[in-house]
Amino acid sequence: MNWFRDKVLPVLTVVLAIIVMWYAGAIALNAPWAYDKATRTGEKLTITTLIVDTWTQDKPKLPTPDQVLREIWKTTGAMVLKGRGWSKRSLIYHAWVTLSATVLGFALGGVFGILLAVGIVHNRAMDMSVMPWVIASQTIPILAIAPMVIVVLNAIGISGLLPKAIISMYLSFFPVVVGMVKGLRSPDRMQIDQMRTWFASRWQMFWKLRLPASMPYLFTSLKVAMAASLVGTIVGELPTGAVAGLGARLLAGSYYGQTIQIWSALIMAAVLAAILVGLIGVLQRVTLKRMGMLR
Amino acid sequence: MSWVVGSVAFWLASWWVNTRLSAMKGSRIAGFIVPALFGISLLVLWEGMVKGFNINPVLLPAPTDIAAKFASSLPILWTDFVQTFVKGALSGYVIGCGAAFLTAIVVDRSPFLQKGLLPVGNFVAALPIIGMAPIMVMWFGFDWQSKAAIVVVMVFFPMLVNTVQGLQASDVMQRDLMQTYAATYGQSLRKLRLPAAMPFVFNGLKICTTLALIGAIVAEFFGSPIKGMGFRISTEVGRLALDMVWAEIAVAAIAGSAFYGIVAMIEKIVTFWHPSQRRG
């Protein structure tokens, strides 16, 4: 019961407050259009009709949560029931396109980041020359080159999944490098000296001490990397001419003023992010528990 | 061919020098020269590869071409910089971070709200908020106001989470001491908890510098007046004028690093007492 009062109740309150603010915002933002319509048809708007109208417009400035949810159901569940779950109009298809590029980019970025971190920890020259650039590059808005990467790779004949995955990789490898370097260096002097007294080779030191010690850091940075990877994929989908993927849905929605479609793609992306980051969280729990590192 | 061989040789030579330099322990200058030399050698390698293999400038222009383009189109780059960075990113950054900071102080009085806001804020900070850019463009129009708006939304939650955490950073002993001095809530906030929160606040501010620039640039992909860094990048990519794109990226890189550097410098002045800022 304490758990409910200390954890669930506050979060529920905040979420509820956000939803209430959302509905209120929908009234405020959509009211001008409702008044506009009413004066044209010569109707008189009472409070109730105004609210009903603002919550049910076709192209509202701010759609209400239930409108968005209905749109999501229409483009996912309802289409699956009709057996067209993989058609190009279904959100599942677009989410899948985004998901596959995200995961591929995340995997590439993770592996590359870990390798770079191992090199940096073991080679002083590499540490001194590469590490400042890795940190400096984080202050650079890398996403700005996303359109260029897409177009250039397209020009040399690489298209589809890989260009987007490369952008995701680029975004997701930085947190992994920084986290892993920190993690691989986390064993303290005592532990390293202990390994030395056992005459451990560098190799053994790495596998038996540094790598296990780095696991908590690795998982924390993997979560950041996964979120960054998803952002990278979505931005990578913008300049491809709105073909497929959640980013393409956003762009198409903004071209045609389909606000409900934009919001449904956004919510879908949020759900995707939550699932992916949550999965890593579960993995983290299981791994650290088996290693006896979970406090 | 000589281009390729020469640049690779230069790269190897500089790597060898770096190995030597880094083996020398305790020299301050090496910490600056080694990364600089590495960066220069990468640029030379890039130049050599592009020249040596005759790579089409449509695919990858050489650094010297980019530098030439940069120098010849300074006025355009400057107007883009003002439009995107000063008007869009900076104003959004100030409004967003300021609002988040004030919100954190307001919520500070209610532990209940804090417990609710922290998980929600952490969750929202992991979401691809950049996707809200088209909505902001729809609400606030094509000009810089919509860019500032998306920057406000992007920086708000990371900043909020960091500040709320920072305000909890002072330990029980210190707070007890303030109580024995009969300090009021306002006094203990001003004299103990806000200063103690500064490392966290600046951590948030530093994260937000990058987010602000990214937000402002990407929002321009969804619609913008005929100036701005994001606008220039997307149109010049369409025209395959990649040297201009790279010049624009160089501006973004310089602006981003300088922005980060300035915030880090202010941090050094404000949190001089923190262990991470002391000289060992």
Side-chain angles (χ1 to χ4, degrees), chain A residues 145 148 152, chain B residues 42-43 46-47 50-51 56-74 77 240-254:
Chain A
I145 51 174
M148 188 184 60
V152 166
Chain B
L42 276 190
L43 280 183
W46 176 359
E47 180 87 32
V50 170
K51 287 271 157 66
N56 192 338
V58 165
L59 292 180
L60 187 66
T64 45
D65 296 342
I66 298 166
K69 187 78 189 176
F70 188 98
S72 69
S73 46
L74 276 178
L77 293 175
L240 290 177
L242 281 206
D243 46 355
M244 189 64 195
V245 176
W246 278 101
E248 205 68 64
I249 288 168
V251 173
I254 295 167

Side-chain angles (χ1 to χ4, degrees), chain A residues 5-7 9-11 13-15 18 29 60-62 123-126 128-130 132-133 135-136 138-148 151-153 155-156 171 227-228 230-231 234-235 238 247 250-251 253-259 262-263 266 269-271 273-274 277, chain B residues 15 18-19 21-27 30-32 34-36 38-40 58-60 111-113 115-117 119-120 123 125-132 134-135 138-139 157 209-210 213-214 217-218 221-222 233-234 237-238 240 242 245-246 249 252-257 260:
Chain A
R5 207 184 56 213
D6 286 346
K7 290 256 168 71
L9 199 60
V11 173
T13 315
V14 169
V15 171
I18 291 176
L29 278 166
K61 274 197 139 182
L62 177 63
N123 184 332
R124 212 179 132 69
M126 205 160 152
M128 286 183 79
S129 50
V130 178
W133 289 105
I135 291 171
Q138 266 186 315
T139 67
I140 296 168
I142 293 154
L143 273 182
I145 51 174
M148 188 184 60
V151 169
V152 166
L153 287 182
I156 54 176
L171 278 179
L230 184 61
V231 172
I234 289 177
V235 175
L238 297 180
L250 286 178
L251 196 64
S254 89
Y255 277 161
Y256 303 115
Q258 297 284 359
T259 36
I262 298 181
W263 279 96
L266 260 180
V271 170
V277 175
Chain B
W15 185 254
N18 271 348
T19 322
L21 273 176
S22 56
M24 288 192 311
K25 293 227 163 116
S27 71
F32 177 74
V34 170
F38 180 72
I40 293 170
V58 165
L59 292 180
L60 187 66
F112 180 78
L113 269 184
K115 274 183 209 147
L117 265 182
V120 173
F123 174 71
L127 296 181
I129 297 184
I130 191 88
M132 286 189 68
I135 295 164
M138 229 172 252
W139 285 1
F157 283 99
T209 55
T210 325
L213 207 46
I214 289 179
I217 291 177
V218 172
F221 295 162
F222 286 99
I233 289 173
S234 55
V237 160
L240 290 177
L242 281 206
V245 176
W246 278 101
I249 288 168
I254 295 167
S257 318
Y260 186 91

Side-chain angles (χ1 to χ4, degrees), chain B residues 53-243:
Chain B
F53 290 115
N54 271 328
I55 292 176
N56 192 338
V58 165
L59 292 180
L60 187 66
T64 45
D65 296 342
I66 298 166
K69 187 78 189 176
F70 188 98
S72 69
S73 46
L74 276 178
I76 298 180
L77 293 175
W78 177 249
T79 48
D80 290 349
F81 172 78
V82 170
Q83 169 74 14
T84 303
F85 185 79
V86 180
K87 288 187 183 162
L90 210 54
S91 56
Y93 179 80
V94 171
I95 297 172
C97 289
F101 187 78
L102 293 181
T103 312
I105 289 181
V106 170
V107 207
D108 182 59
R109 288 221 121 156
S110 146
F112 180 78
L113 269 184
Q114 276 179 28
K115 274 183 209 147
L117 265 182
L118 263 187
V120 173
N122 267 323
F123 174 71
V124 175
L127 296 181
I129 297 184
I130 191 88
M132 286 189 68
I135 295 164
M136 291 301 158
V137 171
M138 229 172 252
W139 285 1
F140 296 99
F142 280 163
D143 211 352
W144 61 271
Q145 288 88 348
S146 60
K147 279 76 200 173
I150 186 68
V151 172
V152 168
V153 181
M154 275 179 83
V155 301
F156 185 81
F157 283 99
M159 186 66 195
L160 181 70
V161 170
N162 270 293
T163 314
V164 168
Q165 267 173 350
L167 286 172
Q168 297 166 347
S170 59
D171 51 59
V172 182
M173 272 271 246
Q174 296 166 327
R175 264 175 281 168
D176 277 356
L177 183 62
M178 288 308 272
Q179 218 143 46
T180 60
Y181 292 155
T184 61
Y185 170 80
Q187 279 173 327
S188 98
L189 182 70
R190 244 192 349 267
K191 305 207 161 149
L192 167 67
R193 301 189 37 236
L194 271 182
M198 280 306 143
F200 290 85
V201 170
F202 273 99
N203 189 28
L205 284 176
K206 284 196 285 191
I207 296 172
C208 291
T209 55
T210 325
L211 287 179
L213 207 46
I214 289 179
I217 291 177
V218 172
E220 285 180 0
F221 295 162
F222 286 99
S224 114
I226 50 163
K227 55 189 176 180
M229 284 151 80
F231 165 80
R232 195 77 56 201
I233 289 173
S234 55
T235 47
E236 298 292 324
V237 160
R239 290 171 47 200
L240 290 177
L242 281 206
D243 46 355

Side-chain angles (χ1 to χ4, degrees), chain A residues 23 29 35 146 159 164 186 189 256:
Chain A
Y23 274 106
L29 278 166
Y35 279 124
S159 61
K164 286 188 278 177
S186 63
R189 261 249 108 71
Y256 303 115

Side-chain angles (χ1 to χ4, degrees), chain A residues 3-294:
Chain A
W3 173 77
F4 179 79
R5 207 184 56 213
D6 286 346
K7 290 256 168 71
V8 181
L9 199 60
V11 173
L12 277 183
T13 315
V14 169
V15 171
L16 199 69
I18 291 176
I19 292 177
V20 169
M21 264 154 56
W22 191 335
Y23 274 106
I27 297 177
L29 278 166
N30 300 335
W33 172 246
Y35 279 124
D36 213 31
K37 223 169 30 178
T39 43
R40 247 181 290 148
T41 53
E43 272 175 87
K44 200 91 176 92
L45 279 176
T46 61
I47 298 284
T48 26
T49 50
L50 174 69
I51 290 177
V52 167
D53 187 89
T54 51
W55 285 352
T56 52
Q57 286 173 2
D58 266 349
K59 288 184 176 183
K61 274 197 139 182
L62 177 63
T64 58
D66 63 275
Q67 279 181 310
V68 175
L69 285 183
R70 241 176 292 141
E71 165 80 11
I72 290 180
W73 171 250
K74 213 174 75 194
T75 48
T76 56
M79 294 193 81
V80 172
L81 289 185
K82 276 188 269 171
R84 300 197 298 136
W86 287 107
S87 93
K88 289 210 168 184
R89 306 189 61 159
S90 114
L91 208 52
I92 300 176
Y93 164 77
H94 292 286
W96 169 251
V97 170
T98 302
L99 177 73
S100 47
T102 305
V103 172
L104 181 62
F106 170 75
L108 290 175
V111 170
F112 185 51
I114 291 172
L115 289 180
L116 204 60
V118 171
I120 285 174
V121 167
H122 284 96
N123 184 332
R124 212 179 132 69
M126 205 160 152
D127 175 23
M128 286 183 79
S129 50
V130 178
M131 203 55 189
W133 289 105
V134 169
I135 291 171
S137 62
Q138 266 186 315
T139 67
I140 296 168
I142 293 154
L143 273 182
I145 51 174
M148 188 184 60
V149 173
I150 300 277
V151 169
V152 166
L153 287 182
N154 223 349
I156 54 176
I158 303 172
S159 61
L161 205 60
L162 205 56
K164 286 188 278 177
I166 287 175
I167 292 166
S168 300
M169 178 191 111
Y170 210 74
L171 278 179
S172 59
F173 100 89
F174 291 117
V176 176
V177 174
V178 175
M180 263 316 254
V181 167
K182 223 182 208 167
L184 289 173
R185 288 203 176 128
S186 63
D188 58 25
R189 261 249 108 71
M190 273 263 251
Q191 292 166 317
I192 292 173
D193 280 350
Q194 175 77 81
M195 290 302 274
R196 290 235 174 88
T197 60
W198 285 332
F199 201 60
S201 64
R202 269 192 134 182
W203 186 246
Q204 284 167 321
M205 185 109 86
F206 176 75
W207 282 110
K208 304 202 165 155
L209 176 62
R210 288 191 190 277
L211 195 64
S214 71
M215 280 304 130
Y217 295 86
L218 175 66
F219 280 109
T220 311
S221 50
L222 281 185
K223 282 188 200 165
V224 180
M226 188 54 109
S229 174
L230 184 61
V231 172
T233 310
I234 289 177
V235 175
E237 279 162 354
L238 297 180
T240 49
V243 187
L246 292 176
R249 285 289 271 205
L250 286 178
L251 196 64
S254 89
Y255 277 161
Y256 303 115
Q258 297 284 359
T259 36
I260 303 183
Q261 186 190 323
I262 298 181
W263 279 96
S264 69
L266 260 180
I267 301 286
M268 202 65 183
V271 170
L272 217 54
I275 292 175
L276 290 172
V277 175
L279 265 181
I280 298 177
V282 170
L283 211 62
Q284 175 180 27
R285 242 157 208 284
V286 172
T287 317
L288 294 189
K289 203 167 213 164
R290 291 201 61 178
M291 288 170 64
M293 290 174 91
L294 204 66

